[in-house]
Amino acid sequence: MLRQYELIDKVRSYDPTADEALLNRAYVYAMRMHGSQKRASGDPYFAHPIEVAGILTDYRLDTATIVTALLHDVIEDCPVSRADIDQLFGEEIGELVEGVTKLSQLEGNSEHTRQAENLRKFILAISKDVRVLMVKLADRLHNMRTLEFIKNPAKRERIARETLDIYAPLARSIGCHRICTELEELAFIHLNPVARDAIGRRLSALRQEQGGAVSVVSDEVLGKLAEGGVPARVFGREKHPFSIWRKLQRKSIGFSQLSDIYAFRVIVDSEEDCYRALGVIHRAWSSVPERFKDYISTPKRNNYRSIHTTVVGPRGMRIEMQIRTEAMDRVAEDGVAAHWRYKNESYGFDAEAQAAAGGRDPLVNLRHLVQLLEHGGDVDELVEHAKLEMFLDQVFVFTPKGRLVSLPRGAMPLDFAYAVHTDVGDTCIGVKVNGELRPLRTLLQNGDVVEVIRGAKPVVPPDWRSLTVTGRARSAIRRHIRQSEKDEFTRLGRATVEQTFERAGKRLADVSLRPALDRFATAAEDDLYEAVGRGRVTPTQVLDVVFPGLNAHDREAATAQRRIEGGAGARLYVRGSGLTQGLTLHFAPCCSPVPGDRIVGILDPEGAGLAVHTIDCATLAEYEDREEVWRDLQWTPEAERNTISRASLAATIKNAPGMLGQVCTVIGEAGGNIVNLRMHHRQRDFFDVDFDLEVKDAKHLTHIAAALRANPSVETVDRAKG
């Protein structure tokens, strides 16, 4: 544990103007507040915030952040309020401490929501001040270093999994490679110790085999650079076990097939020297095709800049080279923390100096994640989208005007369109890649020039979600689909309410719906209609509120069950993609669908409208190879709530006096109404009969069939179609 004077000396080593009195006060306050509290390891609890502060001094963070680290647990674990922190240490530190505290409190939530809500709060908090994230990452890093002291294996696994899924990717997204790597390695120890031990043994054997070769290669590369007049530092580094494990999984290869277990880093003085060093290395040794990446001219989204190349080097070894300047190396290791420095006699984050060095905004990834929140959606969607944004490698493509757009590897044209602007994505109807028309499922490659062909108005089919990988594109598509569904439910609700009012002898246009808006807590009429369309409010409830004294005859007429039929009225009962205005609907006689059946629409190419079939209808086999005529359909709440439909049952009954009467009685007692009856195949012991019935839905029909099967006079009962 750092002593008080040691912590202050570390801060003053990079910030001589640091407020020593403030640091002393925070150190003492943290020790006094945590008092006799103990950690799972048995150490005094106050050792934890002091170690967190020590981690942040390695990243040269400002005084306010170091003080926040010392105090980050006092609100949660001690009788201390935000007002107390404001009074003693100022509002800036109070706000930072409260931000970290809110994130910590989420860890007590249920397994289902904790990760998603944690991530949501993270993104919102760190979009205001990235120092909240730095403190939380340091906090998680120290907790992971002592994770073995937690006795509950399930809790250890949960914390390690959360670290690997959320914290390590967030550290990577702001370029903090050192923190990210250590978090991954510590989580790997607890999540898959067998695999880690196996990789560790292979690395140990490899060190004995090739350990001497690493220094020889370093010396030879350094000598070639010196001959070429490029001053440099050269050193080898070993790939970390988790990074090896991830690559083995991703590429489905064996350990012996990895060519980059050892990589060599070349550190030079300037950006120009990077390219000079590259020339010297490529002249000395043959480069491996398709293994060259220039992240200096096109930095990664977390602002990583370096030149990567693989060559067949000394002794015929395939070696990976990373060429960068000292400043690039610090950004590669420390990320956003590399941009704290002096400016105008104050110490803090200097985005201008970073941009002047050729990099981009180091917080661009976090701001991009914030955009995911704008489209709403449930918490599971947020986690899915954010993981996609944080985990995938990159591909660089260009607009026709030469603007560079970075996307995750595996991205398709719709991802590009939504990356340019949401409106561009919503109105996309086609795409040209390198001047040629290409399908929307085309995978984009580095260097592609992509031109989006736009339509006059937004059209976003639901199946577009399968043509995207970025969270931004998927969340925008979901938002558009939700809006389209809202419009559809609003139209359905309005039509249902109008029909209910007309059946009661009333006109919707002649009355005010204000009483219903107040009663059902809806802000506008469209919101009320949407609630009716979704089935949350019935049209009869609206009628009763608007006309509380309605006579019994009119109310009975309004609430009478409606028969489901084809034609214009079918839109009250069926909804789904492809139901354009003016398209007629009819229910296919080959399968006679009723509410509760899974249904699909088949578009008649000759203009006869849309036929509604059950999903298991035998007729659908004729359309298996004609994807363009299929439409996804669902029943509306109105169809499932207050309608009657016609369906048929085929039964085999014992041929004895009174048997048919018994069967009809069973059907009537089960709530079915017989509208037609046909007898055939009459034999001495049995005869077949077909019943045409009026039923409420598929469940009601199943109930009637079950009641018939329970009767001893009935041999078999099946639903008849066609």
Side-chain angles (χ1 to χ4, degrees):
M1 183 180 74
L2 283 174
R3 297 181 183 274
Q4 189 170 341
Y5 72 88
E6 291 174 332
L7 177 64
I8 292 171
D9 286 347
K10 290 189 72 171
V11 176
R12 289 181 65 83
S13 68
Y14 62 83
D15 180 12
T17 64
D19 189 337
E20 187 173 337
L22 182 64
L23 289 166
N24 279 322
R25 198 160 68 250
Y27 191 104
V28 172
Y29 188 78
M31 290 186 66
R32 183 160 56 86
M33 287 298 103
H34 288 296
S36 60
Q37 294 175 358
K38 299 286 186 182
R39 304 195 80 218
S41 62
D43 294 333
Y45 192 90
F46 58 75
H48 168 65
I50 292 170
E51 290 300 322
V52 171
I55 291 171
L56 293 174
T57 60
D58 294 337
Y59 290 86
R60 304 165 65 90
L61 270 296
D62 65 322
T63 302
T65 309
I66 305 302
V67 172
T68 300
L70 291 169
L71 304 176
H72 76 272
D73 278 336
V74 294
I75 293 180
E76 182 181 7
D77 297 335
C78 308
V80 176
S81 67
R82 161 71 190 276
D84 296 331
I85 302 297
D86 287 351
Q87 183 178 0
L88 291 170
F89 301 99
E91 290 187 10
E92 178 189 16
I93 291 172
E95 186 171 349
L96 289 171
V97 172
E98 185 180 49
V100 179
T101 301
K102 286 181 177 178
L103 300 181
S104 300
Q105 289 171 343
L106 290 164
E107 294 177 359
N109 289 351
S110 69
E111 183 66 29
H112 178 69
T113 62
R114 184 182 56 254
Q115 265 197 9
E117 284 303 316
N118 204 350
L119 185 58
R120 184 188 294 274
K121 294 287 186 180
F122 249 141
I123 295 170
L124 291 175
I126 62 187
S127 67
K128 299 177 183 176
D129 198 326
V130 73
R131 291 176 293 180
V132 172
L133 176 57
M134 292 301 299
V135 174
K136 193 60 186 174
L137 288 175
D139 171 51
R140 178 51 65 108
L141 180 57
H142 185 253
N143 283 333
M144 287 299 296
R145 288 173 178 174
T146 57
L147 187 61
E148 71 272 13
F149 294 108
I150 293 178
K151 295 180 181 179
N152 186 335
K155 185 176 181 181
R156 287 199 306 271
E157 183 178 348
R158 176 184 64 76
I159 294 172
R161 175 61 59 192
E162 186 176 63
T163 298
L164 200 59
D165 286 349
I166 300 297
Y167 290 87
L170 277 169
R172 184 187 297 111
S173 73
I174 59 172
C176 292
H177 178 75
R178 275 195 294 166
I179 290 181
C180 173
T181 300
E182 187 173 355
L183 287 175
E184 288 176 338
E185 291 303 316
L186 291 169
F188 192 31
I189 291 171
H190 295 278
L191 292 175
N192 200 337
V194 175
R196 191 183 188 280
D197 290 345
I199 292 173
R201 288 194 297 270
R202 296 293 297 270
L203 287 175
S204 296
L206 199 62
R207 280 188 217 108
Q208 293 180 355
E209 245 179 74
Q210 301 183 3
V214 172
S215 59
V216 171
V217 170
S218 296
D219 291 341
E220 192 159 344
V221 172
L222 191 60
K224 292 290 183 182
L225 291 171
E227 290 176 13
V230 182
R233 290 191 299 117
V234 179
F235 55 91
R237 64 112 180 107
E238 184 179 87
K239 204 174 186 71
H240 294 283
F242 179 75
S243 182
I244 292 173
W245 172 251
R246 185 167 51 198
K247 192 164 188 176
L248 294 178
Q249 285 190 314
R250 186 174 68 245
K251 296 199 171 183
S252 300
I253 58 178
F255 187 92
S256 59
Q257 296 172 275
L258 292 175
S259 61
D260 61 345
I261 290 178
Y262 289 104
F264 293 84
R265 193 164 295 169
V266 178
I267 309 297
V268 297
D269 295 333
S270 66
E271 190 173 308
E272 291 77 11
D273 284 344
C274 291
Y275 292 100
R276 291 174 57 205
L278 176 68
V280 169
I281 291 169
H282 278 188
R283 284 196 298 272
W285 299 288
S286 301
S287 64
V288 177
E290 299 181 1
R291 294 284 295 172
F292 172 76
K293 295 175 182 176
D294 185 354
Y295 292 121
I296 293 179
S297 62
T298 54
K300 288 187 177 183
R301 289 167 62 186
N302 62 8
N303 206 36
Y304 174 88
R305 303 177 75 221
S306 183
I307 293 175
H308 291 196
T309 186
T310 301
V311 298
V312 181
R315 303 186 180 186
M317 292 174 57
R318 275 177 55 133
I319 56 176
E320 181 184 285
M321 298 278 190
Q322 299 171 353
I323 307 170
R324 61 182 70 155
T325 65
E326 293 280 2
M328 293 176 193
D329 190 54
R330 178 144 190 258
V331 171
E333 294 299 317
D334 298 346
V336 69
H339 307 297
W340 263 269
R341 63 192 67 188
Y342 284 99
K343 183 181 180 183
N344 300 328
E345 300 182 354
S346 64
Y347 183 81
F349 184 76
D350 187 359
E352 292 180 13
Q354 176 271 332
R360 304 180 308 163
D361 179 357
L363 304 182
V364 67
N365 275 5
L366 301 180
R367 296 193 177 97
H368 189 59
L369 289 175
V370 171
Q371 295 177 6
L372 296 181
L373 301 181
E374 297 174 356
H375 300 308
D378 60 39
V379 292
D380 291 332
E381 288 177 17
L382 177 63
V383 168
E384 173 199 346
H385 296 162
K387 284 181 181 178
L388 285 170
E389 295 293 332
M390 293 189 292
F391 272 116
L392 297 183
D393 293 331
Q394 286 180 290
V395 60
F396 298 97
V397 296
F398 296 89
T399 68
K401 294 184 178 180
R403 173 187 163 193
L404 177 67
V405 177
S406 63
L407 296 166
R409 190 164 299 280
M412 290 173 272
L414 282 172
D415 295 304
F416 171 86
Y418 279 105
V420 173
H421 197 279
T422 302
D423 290 343
V424 176
D426 287 347
T427 56
C428 174
I429 58 173
V431 67
K432 288 184 179 180
V433 179
N434 301 324
E436 296 182 4
L437 283 170
R438 300 299 298 275
L440 292 178
R441 64 174 63 90
T442 302
L443 295 182
L444 298 179
Q445 306 295 325
N446 274 321
D448 282 347
V449 178
V450 185
E451 179 183 354
V452 177
I453 302 171
R454 301 177 64 182
K457 59 181 181 179
V459 178
V460 182
D463 58 1
W464 268 15
R465 283 173 290 189
S466 64
L467 301 177
T468 58
V469 298
T470 60
R472 178 172 182 171
R474 289 189 175 182
S475 60
I477 291 169
R478 289 181 194 268
R479 173 187 53 79
H480 196 282
I481 291 171
R482 283 196 297 269
Q483 183 59 47
S484 298
E485 286 182 346
K486 179 180 179 180
D487 294 342
E488 185 178 353
F489 279 122
T490 300
R491 288 195 300 271
L492 286 171
R494 175 187 285 273
T496 306
V497 172
E498 284 180 344
Q499 189 179 85
T500 300
F501 275 47
E502 288 173 3
R503 292 162 70 95
K506 308 294 181 183
R507 273 173 40 90
L508 182 59
D510 296 337
V511 298
S512 169
L513 293 179
R514 172 51 57 187
L517 300 183
D518 296 338
R519 168 65 177 80
F520 300 111
T522 49
E525 290 186 3
D526 280 353
D527 297 330
L528 177 63
Y529 294 141
E530 182 191 359
V532 173
R534 291 185 182 275
R536 294 196 289 261
V537 177
T538 67
T540 308
Q541 288 176 311
V542 176
L543 181 70
D544 289 340
V545 172
V546 176
F547 297 101
L550 196 65
N551 65 61
H553 178 270
D554 289 342
R555 192 180 190 286
E556 184 178 349
T559 58
Q561 289 184 317
R562 305 172 182 84
R563 284 179 171 79
I564 291 184
E565 298 172 350
R571 289 182 179 275
L572 288 173
Y573 314 118
V574 175
R575 65 182 182 90
S577 61
L579 294 186
T580 56
Q581 293 294 330
L583 181 67
T584 59
L585 301 177
H586 62 275
F587 295 93
C590 52
C591 52
S592 303
V594 299
D597 289 332
R598 291 182 58 197
I599 54 175
V600 66
I602 297 296
L603 189 64
D604 189 330
E606 298 181 1
L610 193 70
V612 182
H613 294 262
T614 60
I615 199 68
D616 58 351
C617 179
T619 308
L620 297 180
E622 302 174 14
Y623 304 96
E624 282 184 355
D625 299 326
R626 301 178 59 189
E627 184 178 342
E628 72 281 359
V629 303
W630 290 72
R631 297 294 183 269
D632 184 29
L633 301 178
Q634 305 90 36
W635 296 101
T636 66
E638 178 66 18
E640 297 171 337
R641 181 176 57 218
N642 194 34
T643 57
I644 55 175
S645 307
R646 180 169 291 194
S648 299
L649 290 177
T652 300
I653 303 173
K654 290 181 180 178
N655 192 357
M659 291 296 104
L660 183 58
Q662 287 184 23
V663 170
C664 292
T665 299
V666 170
I667 292 174
E669 290 176 347
N673 181 35
I674 301 173
V675 295
N676 195 15
L677 182 151
R678 297 177 299 279
M679 289 190 297
H680 51 94
H681 296 124
R682 191 171 187 123
Q683 300 176 11
R684 193 178 78 174
D685 296 326
F686 296 96
F687 65 93
D688 296 333
V689 59
D690 295 335
F691 296 97
D692 292 340
L693 310 173
E694 287 185 336
V695 296
K696 297 177 182 178
D697 51 29
K699 184 177 181 181
H700 185 202
L701 183 63
T702 301
H703 174 72
I704 294 172
L708 289 174
R709 292 189 186 101
N711 190 291
S713 63
V714 178
E715 185 68 19
T716 63
V717 178
D718 292 294
R719 182 172 174 181
K721 295 184 178 181

